[in-house]
Amino acid sequence: MTLRLSSLPRCLARIMHVAIAVTIALPLLACGGEEPRRRVILIGIDGASPLVAFPMMEEGRLPHLAAIARDGVHGPLRSVLPLYSPRIWNTIATGRPAGQHGVTAFVKPSTDARKKLFFSSDRRVPALWNILSAQGFTTGVVNWWTTYPPERIEGVMVSDHFFPEQISMIKRTFKDERSSSGTLVHPESWQARAESLRAESGPPTRIENPFAEHDGALLPHWVNREILSGQFETDASVTRIALGLQEDLHPDVMMVFLPGIDRVSHWLWGNLEPAEKYPASLQPSESERAAGAETLRLYYEFSDELIGLLTEDYGPDDLVMVISDHGFEAGESLMLLTGVHDTPAALDGILYARGHGIEAGRAVGPISVYDVAPSLLAWLGVPPAANMPGHPAAFLGIDPPLRVASYDDLPIQRAPEAASGREDEIVEHLRSLGYLEADDAAATGAESDSRPDGR
């Protein structure tokens, strides 16, 4: 059953949204009074592959993911081609195909040589943070793809343009420390807090930066330690800021994006593959291969420890979900990178989830990227929209909820659009990872816009 709220006056539609949410949430009320509101944390790990994560979990090397699997479920998260991270992470945030949400690639098609990044203003439909803000939930969003300029939500949004250390090599090379001319954080009053957290030094976990110059590991000769060291610092900074936001706001819903595994895998994935898949220039020595493979696995361990930090404040009835947008496969890019995600061989990412109503210790899947948004909404007692092609995951143990026709009438308020001062560096960083080799037409290639299971 669907209700078409968009045809009602906005004030009445708002009342109807809340009424539906309250009706669905009634089973969550105990006879003796209302239970504390259950919270959600959704952690995005860019490019984490089940081919690495699941065996490492079984070996005991990813204890925090293993704990989520023990208390809940784990399995593959099925993505959709083409495997461009911005389009997939925006699909996860909106529940909608890229052709509808509008963020189709890394950069916009252009008639000149200058690449222009997609901004949040290019997204045409509401995301989870907009829907949940309208329902009265507080939300914290840190580093999610395409969140610049930041949106005005009930909570705090630290946009993806806030983290320049991931492009520090390029900034140092060109001696460019341009300050931003656009707002990077909502509300702006929280930016000073975010800046102080980003300025903290030292790893937040027991694992030191494996790409630091003082590290003695004999990595493959083509690996750029400076770029990958910056990625380590980015994931550390994202985590520090997210922890500070949790401490300050204690939001109902937290969404955090960690990009490092994807970036490291582009450089080191070939160490997990047979040497004959690569030309001689990308065939490491045995000692380099061993060091490269172990460093990639060490980065998974580092990410697992960050997950542990981010989730330690969440109780057994809170929803904890960790996902990735795709896996990896053997391939060449720029004659330097040995890991790619171009074909169905890299279609599956990871999914871990535990919380109230989720049966413990089950392997599930594949779950579709289209299912994440309706699952999160339904678990919170908020009706998914009928124009979201996915469904709440069966492992949540929730009866099929009422749906509203659409949330597309919700207003999206953003900070004024201005150049963040970091677009050129980010474009060059994407180019260094091989993302912009294809021409603009290829970069905006169409996806099937259908669920992988045909529904």
Side-chain angles (χ1 to χ4, degrees):
M1 175 183 179
T2 61
L3 303 177
R4 185 165 298 279
L5 300 188
S6 58
S7 62
L8 299 173
R10 180 159 291 147
C11 60
L12 181 56
R14 171 76 179 103
I15 293 170
M16 289 292 290
H17 280 311
V18 173
I20 292 170
V22 169
T23 300
I24 295 174
L26 282 176
L28 301 181
L29 303 182
C31 295
E34 185 176 348
E35 295 178 354
R37 177 178 266 180
R38 299 185 182 108
R39 298 188 296 147
V40 171
I41 182 167
L42 177 64
I43 303 173
I45 308 290
D46 202 13
S49 170
L51 299 178
V52 178
F54 293 169
M56 287 187 67
M57 179 187 72
E58 296 297 333
E59 295 165 6
R61 296 185 62 175
L62 304 178
H64 299 289
L65 284 177
I68 298 173
R70 183 188 63 243
D71 296 338
V73 301
H74 77 286
L77 184 70
R78 179 64 48 81
S79 198
V80 60
L81 293 170
L83 297 174
Y84 300 147
S85 290
R87 68 190 293 151
I88 300 168
W89 288 109
N90 276 277
T91 285
I92 288 168
T94 63
R96 307 283 286 279
Q100 295 179 20
H101 65 61
V103 180
T104 57
F106 293 90
V107 294
K108 303 176 190 178
S110 176
T111 57
D112 56 33
R114 185 179 178 85
K115 305 287 186 180
K116 295 183 179 180
L117 296 170
F118 277 94
F119 279 0
S120 67
S121 50
D122 296 303
R123 198 188 74 244
R124 298 192 291 260
V125 302
L128 284 167
W129 45 82
N130 308 119
I131 297 169
L132 293 170
S133 290
Q135 300 288 346
F137 292 88
T138 55
T139 305
V141 181
V142 180
N143 197 39
W144 208 264
W145 265 108
T146 328
T147 46
Y148 178 82
E151 297 170 37
R152 295 175 176 139
I153 59 174
E154 290 295 323
V156 173
M157 175 176 284
V158 182
S159 76
D160 53 338
H161 282 215
F162 183 78
F163 298 93
E165 61 268 25
Q166 62 184 316
I167 47 169
S168 59
M169 182 195 71
I170 297 166
K171 293 178 75 69
R172 286 199 299 271
T173 298
F174 293 98
K175 296 181 174 56
D176 184 356
E177 292 295 332
R178 287 177 293 173
S179 61
S180 170
S181 59
T183 301
L184 301 174
V185 175
H186 167 80
E188 290 186 63
S189 59
W190 207 78
Q191 178 147 341
R193 169 77 158 134
E195 295 278 6
S196 68
L197 292 164
R198 188 176 62 188
E200 293 181 5
S201 60
T205 76
R206 65 176 177 83
I207 296 176
E208 298 282 343
N209 186 343
F211 308 107
E213 289 301 328
H214 60 76
D215 187 273
L218 183 65
L219 295 176
H221 54 277
W222 62 81
V223 171
N224 189 313
R225 286 177 176 267
E226 192 170 21
I227 287 177
L228 297 185
S229 184
Q231 294 306 324
F232 182 92
E233 296 300 333
T234 293
D235 278 357
S237 292
V238 169
T239 301
R240 290 190 193 98
I241 289 170
L243 291 172
L245 197 160
Q246 287 178 350
E247 179 182 351
D248 291 0
L249 183 63
H250 204 68
D252 299 314
V253 179
M254 189 82 189
M255 297 175 64
V256 185
F257 177 73
L258 298 173
I261 282 181
D262 176 89
R263 313 305 195 254
V264 173
S265 297
H266 277 292
W267 288 90
L268 296 180
W269 186 264
N271 298 286
L272 306 179
E273 299 282 354
E276 58 267 22
K277 290 189 177 183
Y278 297 94
S281 62
L282 290 179
Q283 292 182 13
S285 67
E286 286 305 310
S287 57
E288 286 179 331
R289 177 182 296 279
E294 183 56 26
T295 300
L296 177 56
R297 293 188 178 100
L298 182 64
Y299 207 93
Y300 272 76
E301 292 185 358
F302 172 60
S303 300
D304 182 75
E305 293 201 6
L306 297 182
I307 291 166
L309 291 173
L310 290 167
T311 59
E312 66 183 355
D313 190 42
Y314 289 80
D317 282 341
D318 295 326
L319 178 61
V320 172
M321 187 177 292
V322 181
I323 59 175
S324 67
D325 56 335
H326 56 71
F328 265 84
E329 59 188 315
E332 298 174 58
S333 179
L334 297 179
M335 297 186 295
L336 285 172
L337 308 181
T338 62
V340 298
H341 40 88
D342 294 336
T343 77
L347 199 59
D348 285 347
I350 62 170
L351 178 141
Y352 287 78
R354 61 91 169 155
H356 179 81
I358 298 176
E359 185 179 344
R362 286 182 54 207
V364 297
I367 306 299
S368 169
V369 290
Y370 293 120
D371 295 336
V372 175
S375 294
L376 193 150
L377 291 172
W379 191 89
L380 285 167
V382 177
N387 57 8
M388 294 177 178
H391 306 276
F395 65 73
L396 294 175
I398 297 173
D399 291 332
L402 276 172
R403 290 201 181 222
V404 298
S406 175
Y407 288 104
D408 289 358
D409 61 343
L410 289 177
I412 302 175
Q413 297 181 325
R414 299 180 174 94
E417 184 172 313
S420 74
R422 293 169 180 164
E423 291 84 3
D424 290 345
E425 295 93 333
I426 294 172
V427 166
E428 288 304 314
H429 178 67
L430 294 171
R431 196 187 308 280
S432 75
L433 293 172
Y435 285 131
L436 303 185
E437 287 182 286
D439 60 23
D440 288 337
T444 55
E447 66 184 25
S448 64
D449 279 355
S450 63
R451 291 174 52 90
D453 58 11
R455 285 190 281 173

